[in-house]
Amino acid sequence: MYNILVCDDDREIVEAIEIYLSKEGYNVIKAYDGLEAIEILKKEDVQLLLIDVMMPKLDGLRATLKIREKSGIPIIILSAKTEDSDKVIGLDVGADDYITKPFNILEVKARLKAIMRRTSQKTAQEPKGQIVEVGDHVMDCEGRRVSIAGKEVHLTAQEIDVLELLVFHPNKVYSRAHLLNIVGGSAYAGAV
């Protein structure tokens, strides 16, 4: 079962998302601040995180930065902040997608499915547990971690997807648009 962690300090939003996603067959795990989300990620097997930006204790941006220190889990930010600069900051700190509130649950489900397609295609193409080493560069495909000279390099899930695509398909040339479409889907903002 696909486990999705939904983190928002607005309990009504969390409950509404849980109702819709549960009907689609997802298992929803709930958190109400960034610290709680980080603790859950340490204990639970979660495949995707939906997180709000403005929350008490630890906001979604800082939580995303902390999560990125140890995990390449796909992260979608749900936020009432609608300025382009807010979206850019969210993506720069490591989120894979950014959806503004109020949102249409159909859009949320579509973006979840796009990420699931990307990650399941990756799993189907590359053997699970494979570690690729080239000189002092190491990529752990299952753990979705990359290190150079023993020091971990923090990459977003999309950056890891691009790297894996290039590693497992050497000597193949991709246009920027084709590459973005493969790893981000045609809805990826950078694809235009």
Side-chain angles (χ1 to χ4, degrees), residues 44-155:
E44 300 286 338
D45 180 28
V46 176
Q47 286 75 46
L48 187 134
L49 169 63
L50 290 169
I51 191 166
D52 184 28
V53 171
M54 297 180 291
M55 294 183 294
K57 296 184 186 175
L58 185 65
D59 67 65
L61 295 177
R62 286 187 178 86
T64 298
L65 281 169
K66 285 190 174 287
I67 292 164
R68 282 292 173 247
E69 291 173 5
K70 298 187 180 189
S71 174
I73 183 175
I75 299 174
I76 299 176
I77 290 179
L78 300 173
S79 178
K81 293 185 166 202
T82 60
E83 295 296 319
D84 287 342
S85 60
D86 296 317
K87 295 174 188 176
V88 168
I89 290 168
L91 296 170
D92 281 348
V93 299
D96 298 287
D97 206 343
Y98 192 107
I99 301 173
T100 57
K101 295 178 184 175
F103 54 83
N104 181 323
I105 195 65
L106 297 176
E107 178 185 5
V108 173
K109 288 193 287 189
R111 290 181 187 231
L112 286 172
K113 287 179 182 177
I115 287 175
M116 286 174 35
R117 270 193 312 274
R118 225 177 41 243
T119 57
S120 67
Q121 284 173 355
K122 180 198 75 65
T123 303
Q125 293 170 356
E126 292 88 33
K128 241 184 153 78
Q130 184 162 354
I131 294 180
V132 178
E133 295 183 48
V134 178
D136 62 353
H137 295 66
V138 179
M139 181 170 56
D140 173 0
C141 297
E142 184 175 7
R144 298 185 53 78
R145 292 191 175 111
V146 175
S147 63
I148 300 174
K151 183 174 179 175
E152 188 168 350
V153 178
H154 303 291
L155 301 174

Side-chain angles (χ1 to χ4, degrees), residues 140-177:
D140 173 0
C141 297
E142 184 175 7
R144 298 185 53 78
R145 292 191 175 111
V146 175
S147 63
I148 300 174
K151 183 174 179 175
E152 188 168 350
V153 178
H154 303 291
L155 301 174
T156 67
Q158 283 184 327
E159 289 168 337
I160 289 173
D161 289 345
V162 170
L163 183 59
E164 287 182 351
L165 177 71
L166 296 174
V167 165
F168 287 99
H169 301 93
N171 304 319
K172 185 166 182 178
V173 178
Y174 295 94
S175 70
R176 180 180 182 277

